[in-house]
Amino acid sequence: MKRLLLGLALSLSFTASVLADVLALKQDHPQTYVVKRGDTLWSISSIFLEDPWLWPELWHYNKQLDDPHLIYPGDILYLVWVDGKPRLVKNIVKKTTENRDVKLSPQMRISDLNKAIPAISLDVIGPFLSNSRVVDQGLLERSPYVLSGREGHIVTGAGDTLYARGAFDNDAKVYGIYRRGQIFTDPYTGELLGIQARDVGAGKRIGLDGDIATLQINRSNQEIRRGDRLLPQEDRSLQSRFEPRAPASEIEGEIIAVEGGVSQVGSMDVVILNRGERDGLKSGDVMAIYQRGELVRDDVAEELIRVPDVEAGLLMVFRSYEKLAYAVVLSATQALRVGDKVKNPG
């Protein structure tokens, strides 16, 4: 009997340990939470979880509800236990005390889906989803370029007409207008990872005579100049909803650049990583950021030695190209910088 009880205790201890590793609740977590305007599923999960990238595990999938992730300002969320695991739910009928499990039932609700709480706010990354683009050097050099505006104008803007020269695709009518930006290379191998094409405007081709095209400019973010390049509208689906998660495989990389040219990085800044789709990195993947350990002098051994890296934040990939990716810093416990490492959250 004692062996049975000891085995049961060890089993329960092991199960609790596994659950704690998979879904660790904060010690000061609340039992209920009222959803507020401006909340995200990520920010709400960070109130309850030590590791908010595991937030999908916290939200209870009730098959009787159309979408368990659709919550709205004013909703009351309850932290309960379902099948022995902590879950956040909106509907509670009965709570039992023996195993802390609850019975759930749905409620009818008619709401505007546009007002639902998102997983991650798109306010910061929205412009990069539609306007940011990374290309290889050959594509940029082969693309048509702006000759001039009408009547020889050097710069043009929205509402103007311009002339461009190059090999135009007969089927492409709408073009983005880009200016060569940063060149991204791998800090270790020197490999060219891509060239940033900065969006400056867009236009519709209204005429073509040989290799000279006439375009009507319908949008401009800044003055369009001679030599700016034209690329057909990118055929790429853009996510309007991101559900953060840990990468499916082990990935290690580095922050190689920061949008805006700043030297230090903080929360909600956009950074570029030297890892991309070929490495298994996808939109929604969450990575831990590690501040590179400093070189210190060991006076005893009379040598320089690098101290261990320090975990300093989290980021989420929101756009992945073949060789690199754009990510937004979700949290930072200290100042980050180019050269800091990223790897799977642990």
Side-chain angles (χ1 to χ4, degrees):
M1 183 66 178
K2 289 183 178 180
R3 289 184 179 180
L4 178 60
L5 291 175
L6 177 60
L8 179 60
L10 290 175
S11 176
L12 290 174
S13 175
F14 174 77
T15 301
S17 174
V18 171
L19 283 175
D21 290 340
V22 174
L23 205 61
L25 293 173
K26 286 186 173 180
Q27 290 185 352
D28 58 348
H29 66 79
Q31 292 299 317
T32 62
Y33 180 79
V34 180
V35 180
K36 301 177 179 62
R37 189 174 301 279
D39 281 341
T40 64
L41 297 181
W42 172 277
S43 66
I44 294 173
S45 296
S46 66
I47 296 173
F48 293 88
L49 295 179
E50 292 287 354
D51 304 319
W53 65 85
L54 296 175
W55 70 269
E57 298 291 329
L58 185 64
W59 299 91
H60 180 67
Y61 284 83
N62 188 339
K63 296 179 180 180
Q64 295 172 307
L65 300 176
D66 291 336
D67 188 342
H69 295 165
L70 287 181
I71 60 174
Y72 301 82
D75 280 344
I76 301 176
L77 304 177
Y78 300 85
L79 181 66
V80 299
W81 292 76
V82 178
D83 297 329
K85 298 179 181 179
R87 294 288 186 262
L88 279 180
V89 299
K90 292 184 294 184
N91 307 289
I92 295 182
V93 170
K94 179 181 179 182
K95 181 180 291 186
T96 65
T97 58
E98 293 180 1
N99 58 9
R100 294 188 296 175
D101 283 355
V102 297
K103 181 180 179 182
L104 310 175
S105 69
Q107 293 178 352
M108 181 65 70
R109 175 169 191 162
I110 300 175
S111 300
D112 184 355
L113 292 181
N114 294 326
K115 296 179 181 179
I117 299 298
I120 291 289
S121 174
L122 299 183
D123 293 344
V124 174
I125 62 179
F128 296 96
L129 289 175
S130 57
N131 300 335
S132 179
R133 191 162 179 178
V134 173
V135 298
D136 61 54
Q137 186 169 355
L139 176 62
L140 207 59
E141 291 177 349
R142 294 191 303 270
S143 63
Y145 54 89
V146 175
L147 277 176
S148 71
R150 294 192 65 174
E151 300 179 356
H153 292 170
I154 298 176
V155 297
T156 56
D160 293 334
T161 302
L162 62 74
Y163 300 108
R165 186 179 188 185
F168 286 90
D169 184 345
N170 290 331
D171 296 329
K173 301 297 182 182
V174 179
Y175 286 84
I177 304 172
Y178 297 88
R179 187 166 300 149
R180 187 188 183 99
Q182 286 182 276
I183 299 176
F184 301 119
T185 58
D186 189 279
Y188 299 103
T189 65
E191 179 187 8
L192 177 64
L193 303 179
I195 297 175
Q196 184 181 45
R198 291 190 172 277
D199 175 86
V200 295
K204 182 178 180 180
R205 195 183 74 197
I206 57 176
L208 181 63
D209 185 1
D211 63 350
I212 307 295
T214 305
L215 282 88
Q216 181 72 41
I217 306 304
N218 51 38
R219 176 180 62 80
S220 60
N221 303 328
Q222 52 187 290
E223 293 178 334
I224 297 171
R225 304 172 185 170
R226 293 178 178 177
D228 286 341
R229 295 286 176 164
L230 278 65
L231 295 171
Q233 188 171 2
E234 191 174 23
D235 183 16
R236 183 183 181 119
S237 60
L238 301 177
Q239 290 181 247
S240 59
R241 179 185 178 92
F242 290 89
E243 299 190 352
R245 62 190 180 277
S249 59
E250 290 293 327
I251 301 174
E252 292 190 12
E254 185 173 304
I255 297 175
I256 60 173
V258 184
E259 270 297 315
V262 297
S263 58
Q264 291 190 329
V265 187
S267 294
M268 305 316 294
D269 283 335
V270 172
V271 299
I272 295 92
L273 310 178
N274 66 332
R275 294 291 181 265
E277 292 175 345
R278 68 177 181 179
D279 306 291
L281 202 56
K282 300 178 181 179
S283 296
D285 283 348
V286 172
M287 307 283 282
I289 309 170
Y290 286 81
Q291 195 172 61
R292 186 179 293 276
E294 298 179 353
L295 282 173
V296 297
R297 175 73 181 177
D298 184 337
D299 293 331
V300 176
E302 296 184 348
E303 63 181 358
L304 287 176
I305 187 170
R306 189 176 295 277
V307 299
D309 300 333
V310 178
E311 187 169 356
L314 286 171
L315 58 75
M316 185 198 73
V317 173
F318 64 84
R319 188 155 197 183
S320 184
Y321 291 88
E322 181 187 1
K323 301 178 183 179
L324 56 79
Y326 279 78
V328 59
V329 176
L330 298 173
S331 63
T333 57
Q334 50 193 300
L336 308 170
R337 58 182 61 88
V338 171
D340 284 344
K341 297 179 181 179
V342 297
K343 61 182 181 180
N344 291 44

